[in-house]
Amino acid sequence: MSGTFVGMPAFPKAAREAVRDTTLRGNLRHATHTIRDKRAKAVAELADWQRLREAGSRIKDMTLRHLDDYLVQLEESVTAAGGTVHWAADAEEANRIVTGLVKATGETEVVKVKSMATQEIGLNEALAAEGIHAYETDLAELIVQLGDDRPSHILVPAIHRNRGEIRDIFREKMASWGRPAPEGLTDIPADLADAARLHLREKFLRAKVAISGANFMVAETGTLVVFESEGNGRMCLTLPETLISVVGIEKTVPTWQDLEVFLQTLPRSSTAERMNPYTSMWTGTADGDGPRAFHLVLLDNGRTDALADDIGRQALRCIRCSACLNVCPVYERAGGHAYGSVYPGPIGAILSPQLRGTTSEIDASLPYASSLCGACYEVCPVAIDIPEVLVHLRERVAGQGGPGHRLEKAAMKVATWAMDHPAAMAAGERLASRTRALHPKRPPGATAWTGSRDLPELPEEPFRDWWRRTGGGKNRT
């Protein structure tokens, strides 16, 4: 996985800084509560929601078990339809392929459909290094790009910005990227949308190359599918002469019948709509209709490693709806930037450490960025047991060692020995009770636990002594 975000502080430090930002917390609270309330109503309309959820989970698991076969079928279908398939083992190879394809056209500008895969590999930066300007066309991604910012939410990348901040970004930055913001621009949403529309229109009409991702790829026909709400994606997918799509290999579904399940669950779980305003589908190329050249870059970048993990592979079911972010109490307070990845929130806490590994400080901290409340699992439309994967990854991180984990292991060994020796256990309890006045509230070496907690006070006598003295509470005096 790209190192775009690596170098940021580990989650605990980043989260501590984020929770001090009252504006950020207010923006997040308002947005996440609004989205999740609307989602709950949209989901409640379907009496068979749980059956759809189970169907989505089974389709994804079955596809992942036979992913090698379906990817070959997908390549054959895309090729037969006039497209060209490229395989990228990692971010570096994917960036090299895409950059080479753009340079071969002679163009120095591209328009982009919102794509987390291209953010994952740092494609915009790779293109810029070769003198190619990439323009984001999704409204929220445009805000992030103009503000020299990073996305903080899967569905709404600029969720951490309020209307006033967006207005200021448009006023200050639009002119340097193209058409300037209108004079006297207000923070009324319709005015902001109009300003973005005017700014982007000239890019849509001028661009000869577009870059996209995809929500799904149908193996039986080689069809790619993009869900969006604004129509910018369709402009990118139809007007340019060359279309390059960078898609993670896990986005494959076998058939159109399988796709039908996700056409119902993704819109309701993400935008709380019965169906997406724009669902764009394309299969290869066609004379006189759409791009004349289509390239599909199939991205691995750590996905095969995740696939090999019996527990962790369920993260690859994710359909990027963001429902888990909107119900997560940790995300609501810390925001997406604290996760140090293009994939924030609960899904990012289990996906990023599998794609990037757990050797860096930030990736080793992500499995602990959770209260394990389970709200994320309850809303996931493909039933990813995120708490289970978090605990699994915590075990992996602990197995790597480190000062905190070595101390924890030593403490567990001592506790295991004591519990195997009742007499020693009883003696230790009596000693702890008699010296309780001397105990520090925050013992050294355990700051990860006691930084926000005080140790409970010990009773005057151990429970076993009290039980023996009172006859189980019957002989109280």
Side-chain angles (χ1 to χ4, degrees):
M1 190 171 178
S2 170
T4 304
F5 292 85
V6 175
M8 289 182 60
F11 183 85
K13 181 178 180 181
R16 277 195 298 272
E17 295 175 358
V19 296
R20 297 191 185 105
D21 188 334
T22 56
T23 300
L24 171 67
R25 292 185 64 177
N27 294 346
L28 289 170
R29 186 183 308 111
H30 173 73
T32 56
H33 283 232
T34 299
I35 296 171
R36 76 190 194 195
D37 289 346
K38 290 181 178 179
R39 177 201 173 275
K41 293 176 182 176
V43 166
E45 292 179 351
L46 294 182
D48 61 345
W49 177 258
Q50 290 303 325
R51 292 176 61 190
L52 285 167
R53 186 175 185 242
E54 182 180 357
S57 173
R58 290 185 176 183
I59 291 168
K60 279 289 188 175
D61 281 348
M62 184 272 293
T63 307
L64 292 171
R65 283 196 301 272
H66 304 284
L67 188 56
D68 52 347
D69 294 330
Y70 289 122
L71 287 173
V72 171
Q73 182 185 14
L74 175 69
E75 180 183 30
E76 293 172 348
S77 299
V78 171
T79 303
T84 303
V85 176
H86 310 262
W87 299 81
D90 53 27
E92 182 180 356
E93 185 172 13
N95 287 333
R96 185 169 62 250
I97 291 169
V98 176
T99 302
L101 291 172
V102 176
K103 292 174 73 174
T105 67
E107 296 295 319
T108 58
E109 293 183 341
V110 300
V111 288
K112 288 185 66 200
V113 185
K114 180 178 180 292
S115 164
M116 302 195 75
T118 60
Q119 293 168 353
E120 173 189 325
I121 63 176
L123 178 60
N124 285 11
E125 293 80 2
L127 291 171
E130 296 294 330
I132 301 167
H133 299 281
Y135 297 108
E136 298 289 350
T137 63
D138 174 83
L139 176 56
E141 291 289 357
L142 174 65
I143 295 165
V144 169
Q145 185 175 49
L146 292 178
D148 194 24
D149 202 350
R150 296 186 308 276
S152 64
H153 191 276
I154 290 175
L155 177 65
V156 193
I159 196 172
H160 55 290
R161 297 290 193 183
N162 59 38
R163 294 184 303 178
E165 292 174 313
I166 295 169
R167 174 202 59 207
D168 294 342
I169 289 171
F170 282 9
R171 285 176 174 176
E172 296 169 10
K173 298 295 184 66
M174 268 188 169
S176 61
W177 284 79
R179 179 169 179 153
E183 289 291 332
L185 178 64
T186 72
D187 64 357
I188 297 172
D191 290 347
L192 296 173
D194 282 342
R197 186 177 297 112
L198 292 171
H199 177 80
L200 291 171
R201 185 168 295 164
E202 64 177 16
K203 293 179 170 51
F204 288 135
L205 296 175
R206 185 175 67 225
K208 299 292 177 53
V209 181
I211 296 173
S212 83
N215 294 97
F216 301 99
M217 301 181 290
V218 183
E220 69 175 350
T221 59
T223 302
L224 274 70
V225 186
V226 164
F227 289 21
E228 47 140 347
S229 299
E230 301 169 8
N232 62 292
R234 186 161 296 176
M235 298 284 281
C236 292
L237 297 169
T238 56
L239 292 179
E241 297 174 359
T242 300
L243 173 60
I244 305 167
S245 299
V246 182
V247 191
I249 55 176
E250 81 283 11
K251 296 299 185 68
T252 307
V253 295
T255 68
W256 279 85
Q257 186 175 3
D258 298 319
L259 177 65
E260 185 267 341
V261 172
F262 303 110
L263 288 171
Q264 297 184 69
T265 55
L266 179 54
R268 291 177 187 269
S269 270
S270 57
T271 55
E273 294 169 299
R274 295 180 180 92
M275 65 179 293
N276 273 76
Y278 295 90
T279 301
S280 299
M281 304 181 184
W282 67 100
T283 306
T285 59
D287 293 338
D289 183 15
R292 292 198 292 270
F294 169 57
H295 298 270
L296 171 60
V297 181
L298 292 172
L299 178 68
D300 188 324
N301 205 35
R303 286 157 175 80
T304 298
D305 292 336
L307 190 61
D309 188 324
D310 290 342
I311 296 175
R313 73 163 63 121
Q314 59 185 297
L316 298 179
R317 292 183 203 155
C318 178
I319 58 175
R320 309 291 192 266
C321 70
S322 77
C324 62
L325 280 69
N326 300 325
V327 298
C328 178
V330 176
Y331 174 86
E332 180 185 324
R333 289 156 179 80
H337 291 159
Y339 293 82
S341 169
V342 67
Y343 303 110
I347 188 60
I350 65 171
L351 187 58
S352 298
Q354 293 194 82
L355 298 183
R356 300 193 302 207
T358 54
T359 56
S360 72
E361 185 181 10
I362 189 167
D363 288 312
S365 72
L366 288 178
Y368 298 88
S370 170
S371 65
L372 299 180
C373 69
C376 50
Y377 169 67
E378 295 299 325
V379 299
C380 178
V382 287
I384 301 172
D385 193 340
I386 293 178
E388 178 188 32
V389 183
L390 286 167
V391 173
H392 173 64
L393 292 175
R394 290 180 185 186
E395 182 181 5
R396 181 188 299 179
V397 173
Q400 296 173 177
H405 297 300
R406 284 197 292 268
L407 179 61
E408 181 182 13
K409 281 186 175 181
M412 290 300 104
K413 286 183 178 180
V414 171
T416 300
W417 182 89
M419 291 179 182
D420 283 340
H421 298 78
M425 183 78 167
E429 290 173 346
R430 294 189 187 102
L431 178 62
S433 291
R434 291 168 185 166
T435 59
R436 63 196 184 100
L438 304 176
H439 296 175
K441 291 189 174 181
R442 296 183 179 180
T447 53
W449 176 259
T450 61
S452 57
R453 305 173 179 86
D454 289 337
L455 288 177
E457 291 187 10
L458 288 173
E460 293 181 2
E461 62 179 334
F463 174 79
R464 71 179 72 213
D465 290 354
W466 173 88
W467 185 270
R468 186 180 299 111
R469 178 175 58 80
T470 64
K474 296 177 182 177
N475 304 324
R476 294 186 183 182
T477 57

Coordinates of all heavy atoms in Angstrom, one line a residue, residues 85-147:
V85 N -6.5 -5.0 -20.3 CA -6.4 -5.2 -18.8 C -4.9 -5.2 -18.5 O -4.1 -5.8 -19.2 CB -7.0 -6.6 -18.4 CG1 -6.8 -6.9 -17.0 CG2 -8.5 -6.6 -18.7
H86 N -4.6 -4.5 -17.4 CA -3.2 -4.5 -16.8 C -3.3 -5.0 -15.4 O -4.3 -4.7 -14.7 CB -2.7 -3.0 -16.9 CG -2.8 -2.3 -18.2 ND1 -1.8 -2.3 -19.1 CD2 -3.9 -1.7 -18.7 CE1 -2.2 -1.6 -20.2 NE2 -3.5 -1.2 -20.0
W87 N -2.3 -5.7 -15.0 CA -2.2 -6.2 -13.6 C -1.1 -5.5 -12.8 O 0.0 -5.3 -13.3 CB -1.9 -7.7 -13.6 CG -2.9 -8.5 -14.3 CD1 -3.0 -8.7 -15.7 CD2 -4.0 -9.3 -13.7 NE1 -4.1 -9.5 -16.0 CE2 -4.7 -9.9 -14.8 CE3 -4.4 -9.5 -12.4 CZ2 -5.8 -10.7 -14.5 CZ3 -5.5 -10.3 -12.2 CH2 -6.2 -10.9 -13.2
A88 N -1.5 -5.0 -11.6 CA -0.5 -4.2 -10.8 C -0.4 -4.9 -9.5 O -1.4 -5.0 -8.7 CB -1.0 -2.8 -10.6
A89 N 0.8 -5.3 -9.1 CA 1.0 -6.0 -7.9 C 1.0 -5.1 -6.7 O 0.7 -5.4 -5.6 CB 2.4 -6.8 -7.9
D90 N 1.5 -3.8 -6.9 CA 1.5 -2.9 -5.8 C 1.3 -1.4 -6.3 O 1.0 -1.2 -7.5 CB 2.9 -3.0 -5.1 CG 4.1 -2.8 -6.1 OD1 3.9 -2.2 -7.1 OD2 5.1 -3.4 -5.8
A91 N 1.4 -0.5 -5.4 CA 1.1 0.9 -5.8 C 2.1 1.4 -6.8 O 1.7 2.1 -7.7 CB 1.2 1.8 -4.5
E92 N 3.4 1.1 -6.6 CA 4.4 1.6 -7.6 C 4.1 1.1 -9.0 O 4.2 1.9 -10.0 CB 5.8 1.1 -7.1 CG 6.9 1.6 -8.0 CD 8.2 1.1 -7.5 OE1 8.3 0.5 -6.5 OE2 9.2 1.4 -8.2
E93 N 3.7 -0.1 -9.1 CA 3.5 -0.7 -10.5 C 2.2 0.0 -11.1 O 2.1 0.3 -12.3 CB 3.3 -2.2 -10.5 CG 3.2 -2.8 -11.8 CD 3.2 -4.3 -11.8 OE1 3.1 -4.9 -10.7 OE2 3.3 -4.9 -12.9
A94 N 1.2 0.1 -10.2 CA -0.1 0.7 -10.7 C 0.2 2.2 -11.2 O -0.3 2.6 -12.3 CB -1.1 0.7 -9.6
N95 N 0.9 2.9 -10.4 CA 1.2 4.3 -10.8 C 2.0 4.4 -12.1 O 1.8 5.2 -12.9 CB 2.0 5.0 -9.7 CG 1.1 5.3 -8.5 OD1 -0.1 5.5 -8.6 ND2 1.7 5.4 -7.3
R96 N 3.0 3.4 -12.2 CA 3.8 3.4 -13.4 C 2.9 3.1 -14.7 O 3.1 3.7 -15.7 CB 4.9 2.4 -13.3 CG 5.9 2.3 -14.4 CD 7.1 1.5 -14.1 NE 6.8 0.1 -13.9 CZ 6.9 -0.5 -12.7 NH1 7.2 0.2 -11.6 NH2 6.6 -1.8 -12.6
I97 N 2.0 2.2 -14.5 CA 1.1 1.8 -15.6 C 0.2 3.0 -16.0 O 0.2 3.4 -17.2 CB 0.2 0.6 -15.3 CG1 1.1 -0.7 -15.1 CG2 -0.9 0.4 -16.3 CD1 0.4 -1.8 -14.5
V98 N -0.4 3.6 -15.1 CA -1.3 4.7 -15.4 C -0.6 5.9 -15.9 O -1.0 6.5 -16.9 CB -2.1 5.1 -14.1 CG1 -3.0 6.3 -14.4 CG2 -3.0 3.9 -13.6
T99 N 0.5 6.2 -15.3 CA 1.3 7.4 -15.8 C 1.8 7.1 -17.3 O 1.7 8.0 -18.1 CB 2.5 7.6 -14.9 OG1 2.1 7.8 -13.6 CG2 3.3 8.8 -15.4
G100 N 2.2 5.9 -17.5 CA 2.6 5.6 -18.9 C 1.5 5.7 -19.9 O 1.6 6.2 -21.0
L101 N 0.3 5.2 -19.5 CA -0.9 5.3 -20.4 C -1.3 6.8 -20.7 O -1.6 7.1 -21.8 CB -2.1 4.6 -19.8 CG -1.9 3.0 -19.7 CD1 -3.1 2.5 -18.8 CD2 -1.9 2.4 -21.1
V102 N -1.2 7.6 -19.7 CA -1.6 9.0 -19.9 C -0.5 9.7 -20.8 O -0.9 10.4 -21.7 CB -1.7 9.8 -18.5 CG1 -2.0 11.3 -18.8 CG2 -2.8 9.2 -17.7
K103 N 0.7 9.4 -20.5 CA 1.8 10.1 -21.3 C 1.7 9.6 -22.8 O 2.0 10.4 -23.7 CB 3.2 9.7 -20.7 CG 3.4 10.4 -19.4 CD 4.7 9.9 -18.7 CE 5.9 10.5 -19.4 NZ 7.2 10.2 -18.7
A104 N 1.3 8.4 -23.0 CA 1.2 7.9 -24.4 C 0.1 8.6 -25.2 O 0.2 8.7 -26.4 CB 0.8 6.4 -24.3
T105 N -0.8 9.3 -24.5 CA -1.8 10.0 -25.2 C -1.3 11.4 -25.6 O -2.0 12.1 -26.4 CB -3.1 10.2 -24.4 OG1 -2.8 11.0 -23.2 CG2 -3.6 8.8 -23.9
G106 N -0.2 11.8 -24.9 CA 0.3 13.2 -25.2 C -0.4 14.2 -24.3 O -0.1 15.4 -24.5
E107 N -1.3 13.9 -23.5 CA -2.1 14.8 -22.7 C -1.3 15.1 -21.4 O -0.6 14.3 -20.8 CB -3.5 14.3 -22.4 CG -4.3 14.1 -23.6 CD -4.6 15.4 -24.3 OE1 -4.9 16.4 -23.6 OE2 -4.6 15.5 -25.5
T108 N -1.6 16.3 -20.8 CA -1.0 16.7 -19.5 C -2.0 17.0 -18.5 O -1.7 17.5 -17.4 CB -0.1 17.9 -19.7 OG1 -0.8 19.0 -20.2 CG2 1.1 17.5 -20.6
E109 N -3.3 16.7 -18.8 CA -4.4 16.9 -17.8 C -5.3 15.7 -17.9 O -5.6 15.1 -18.9 CB -5.2 18.1 -18.2 CG -4.5 19.4 -18.0 CD -5.4 20.6 -18.3 OE1 -6.5 20.4 -19.0 OE2 -5.1 21.7 -17.9
V110 N -5.8 15.3 -16.7 CA -6.9 14.2 -16.6 C -7.9 14.7 -15.6 O -7.7 15.4 -14.7 CB -6.3 12.9 -16.1 CG1 -5.2 12.4 -17.1 CG2 -5.7 13.0 -14.7
V111 N -9.2 14.2 -15.9 CA -10.2 14.4 -14.9 C -10.5 13.1 -14.2 O -10.3 12.0 -14.8 CB -11.5 14.9 -15.6 CG1 -11.4 16.4 -16.0 CG2 -11.9 14.0 -16.7
K112 N -10.9 13.2 -13.0 CA -11.0 11.9 -12.2 C -12.4 11.8 -11.5 O -13.0 12.8 -11.0 CB -10.0 12.0 -11.0 CG -8.5 11.8 -11.5 CD -7.6 11.6 -10.3 CE -7.9 10.4 -9.5 NZ -7.4 10.5 -8.1
V113 N -12.9 10.6 -11.6 CA -14.0 10.2 -10.8 C -13.5 9.9 -9.4 O -12.4 9.3 -9.2 CB -14.7 9.0 -11.4 CG1 -16.0 8.6 -10.7 CG2 -15.0 9.2 -12.9
K114 N -14.3 10.1 -8.4 CA -14.0 9.8 -7.0 C -13.5 8.3 -6.9 O -14.2 7.4 -7.3 CB -15.1 10.0 -6.1 CG -14.9 9.7 -4.6 CD -16.1 10.0 -3.8 CE -15.9 9.7 -2.3 NZ -15.7 8.2 -2.0
S115 N -12.3 8.1 -6.4 CA -11.7 6.8 -6.4 C -10.8 6.6 -5.2 O -9.8 7.3 -5.1 CB -11.0 6.5 -7.7 OG -10.1 5.4 -7.5
M116 N -11.2 5.7 -4.3 CA -10.4 5.5 -3.1 C -9.1 4.7 -3.5 O -8.1 4.8 -2.8 CB -11.2 4.7 -2.0 CG -12.4 5.5 -1.6 SD -13.1 4.9 -0.1 CE -11.9 5.6 1.1
A117 N -9.2 3.8 -4.5 CA -8.1 3.0 -4.9 C -6.9 3.9 -5.4 O -5.8 3.7 -5.1 CB -8.5 2.1 -6.0
T118 N -7.3 5.0 -6.2 CA -6.2 5.9 -6.6 C -5.7 6.7 -5.5 O -4.5 7.1 -5.5 CB -6.8 6.8 -7.8 OG1 -7.8 7.6 -7.3 CG2 -7.2 6.0 -9.0
Q119 N -6.5 7.0 -4.5 CA -5.9 7.7 -3.3 C -5.0 6.8 -2.5 O -4.0 7.2 -2.0 CB -7.1 8.2 -2.4 CG -7.9 9.3 -3.0 CD -9.2 9.6 -2.3 OE1 -9.6 8.8 -1.4 NE2 -9.9 10.6 -2.7
E120 N -5.4 5.5 -2.5 CA -4.6 4.5 -1.7 C -3.2 4.4 -2.3 O -2.3 4.3 -1.5 CB -5.3 3.1 -1.9 CG -4.6 2.0 -1.3 CD -5.2 0.7 -1.7 OE1 -6.5 0.6 -1.7 OE2 -4.5 -0.3 -1.9
I121 N -3.1 4.5 -3.6 CA -1.8 4.3 -4.2 C -1.0 5.7 -4.4 O 0.1 5.7 -4.9 CB -1.8 3.6 -5.6 CG1 -2.7 4.4 -6.6 CG2 -2.4 2.2 -5.4 CD1 -2.7 3.8 -8.0
G122 N -1.7 6.8 -4.1 CA -1.1 8.1 -4.3 C -0.9 8.5 -5.7 O 0.1 9.0 -6.1
L123 N -1.9 8.2 -6.5 CA -1.8 8.4 -8.0 C -1.7 9.9 -8.4 O -0.9 10.2 -9.2 CB -3.0 7.8 -8.7 CG -3.1 8.0 -10.2 CD1 -1.9 7.3 -10.9 CD2 -4.4 7.4 -10.8
N124 N -2.4 10.7 -7.7 CA -2.3 12.1 -8.1 C -0.9 12.7 -7.9 O -0.4 13.4 -8.7 CB -3.3 13.0 -7.2 CG -4.7 12.8 -7.6 OD1 -5.1 11.9 -8.4 ND2 -5.6 13.6 -7.0
E125 N -0.2 12.2 -6.8 CA 1.1 12.7 -6.6 C 2.1 12.1 -7.7 O 3.0 12.8 -8.1 CB 1.6 12.2 -5.2 CG 0.9 12.9 -4.1 CD -0.5 12.4 -3.7 OE1 -0.9 11.4 -4.4 OE2 -1.2 12.9 -2.9
A126 N 1.8 10.8 -8.0 CA 2.7 10.2 -9.1 C 2.5 10.9 -10.4 O 3.5 11.1 -11.2 CB 2.3 8.7 -9.2
L127 N 1.3 11.3 -10.8 CA 1.0 12.0 -12.0 C 1.7 13.4 -12.0 O 2.3 13.8 -13.0 CB -0.5 12.1 -12.2 CG -1.3 10.8 -12.5 CD1 -2.8 11.1 -12.5 CD2 -0.8 10.3 -13.9
A128 N 1.5 14.1 -10.8 CA 2.1 15.4 -10.7 C 3.6 15.4 -10.9 O 4.2 16.3 -11.5 CB 1.8 16.0 -9.4
A129 N 4.3 14.3 -10.4 CA 5.7 14.2 -10.6 C 6.1 14.0 -12.0 O 7.3 14.3 -12.4 CB 6.2 12.9 -9.8
E130 N 5.2 13.6 -12.9 CA 5.5 13.5 -14.3 C 4.9 14.7 -15.1 O 4.7 14.6 -16.3 CB 4.9 12.2 -14.8 CG 5.5 10.9 -14.3 CD 7.0 10.8 -14.7 OE1 7.3 11.2 -15.8 OE2 7.8 10.3 -13.9
G131 N 4.5 15.7 -14.4 CA 3.9 16.9 -15.1 C 2.5 16.8 -15.5 O 2.1 17.5 -16.4
I132 N 1.8 15.9 -15.0 CA 0.4 15.7 -15.4 C -0.6 16.2 -14.2 O -0.4 15.7 -13.1 CB 0.1 14.2 -15.6 CG1 1.0 13.7 -16.7 CG2 -1.4 13.9 -16.0 CD1 1.0 12.1 -16.9
H133 N -1.5 17.0 -14.6 CA -2.4 17.6 -13.6 C -3.7 16.7 -13.5 O -4.3 16.5 -14.5 CB -2.8 19.0 -14.0 CG -1.6 20.0 -14.0 ND1 -1.1 20.5 -12.9 CD2 -0.9 20.4 -15.1 CE1 0.0 21.3 -13.2 NE2 0.1 21.2 -14.5
A134 N -4.0 16.3 -12.3 CA -5.2 15.5 -12.1 C -6.2 16.3 -11.4 O -6.0 16.9 -10.3 CB -4.9 14.2 -11.3
Y135 N -7.4 16.4 -12.0 CA -8.5 17.3 -11.4 C -9.6 16.4 -10.9 O -10.2 15.6 -11.6 CB -9.1 18.2 -12.5 CG -8.1 19.2 -13.0 CD1 -7.6 19.1 -14.3 CD2 -7.6 20.3 -12.2 CE1 -6.6 20.0 -14.8 CE2 -6.7 21.2 -12.7 CZ -6.2 21.0 -14.0 OH -5.3 21.9 -14.5
E136 N -9.8 16.5 -9.6 CA -10.9 15.8 -8.9 C -12.3 16.5 -9.3 O -12.4 17.7 -9.3 CB -10.8 15.8 -7.4 CG -9.5 15.1 -6.9 CD -9.6 13.6 -7.1 OE1 -10.6 13.0 -7.4 OE2 -8.5 12.9 -6.9
T137 N -13.3 15.6 -9.6 CA -14.5 16.2 -10.1 C -15.7 16.0 -9.1 O -16.7 16.6 -9.2 CB -14.9 15.7 -11.5 OG1 -15.1 14.3 -11.4 CG2 -13.8 16.0 -12.5
D138 N -15.5 15.1 -8.2 CA -16.5 14.9 -7.1 C -16.5 16.2 -6.2 O -15.4 16.7 -5.9 CB -16.2 13.7 -6.3 CG -17.1 13.5 -5.1 OD1 -18.2 13.0 -5.2 OD2 -16.7 13.9 -4.0
L139 N -17.6 16.7 -5.8 CA -17.7 18.0 -5.1 C -16.8 17.9 -3.8 O -16.0 18.8 -3.6 CB -19.1 18.3 -4.8 CG -19.3 19.6 -3.9 CD1 -18.6 20.8 -4.6 CD2 -20.8 19.9 -3.7
A140 N -17.0 16.8 -3.0 CA -16.2 16.7 -1.8 C -14.7 16.6 -2.1 O -13.9 17.1 -1.4 CB -16.8 15.6 -0.9
E141 N -14.4 15.8 -3.1 CA -13.0 15.6 -3.4 C -12.4 16.9 -3.9 O -11.2 17.2 -3.7 CB -12.8 14.5 -4.5 CG -13.2 13.1 -3.9 CD -12.1 12.5 -3.0 OE1 -11.1 13.2 -2.7 OE2 -12.3 11.4 -2.5
L142 N -13.2 17.7 -4.7 CA -12.7 19.0 -5.1 C -12.4 19.9 -4.0 O -11.4 20.6 -4.0 CB -13.8 19.6 -6.0 CG -13.5 21.1 -6.5 CD1 -12.3 21.1 -7.4 CD2 -14.8 21.6 -7.2
I143 N -13.3 19.9 -2.9 CA -13.0 20.7 -1.7 C -11.7 20.3 -1.1 O -10.9 21.1 -0.7 CB -14.2 20.5 -0.8 CG1 -15.5 21.1 -1.3 CG2 -13.9 21.2 0.6 CD1 -16.7 20.7 -0.6
V144 N -11.5 18.9 -1.0 CA -10.3 18.4 -0.4 C -9.1 18.8 -1.2 O -8.0 19.3 -0.6 CB -10.4 16.9 -0.2 CG1 -9.0 16.3 0.2 CG2 -11.4 16.5 0.8
Q145 N -9.2 18.7 -2.5 CA -8.0 19.0 -3.4 C -7.7 20.5 -3.3 O -6.5 20.9 -3.2 CB -8.3 18.6 -4.8 CG -7.1 18.8 -5.7 CD -7.4 18.2 -7.1 OE1 -8.4 18.5 -7.7 NE2 -6.4 17.4 -7.6
L146 N -8.7 21.4 -3.5 CA -8.5 22.8 -3.4 C -7.9 23.2 -2.1 O -7.1 24.2 -2.0 CB -9.8 23.6 -3.7 CG -10.3 23.4 -5.1 CD1 -11.6 24.2 -5.2 CD2 -9.3 23.9 -6.2
G147 N -8.3 22.6 -1.0 CA -7.9 22.9 0.3 C -6.5 22.3 0.7 O -6.1 22.4 1.9

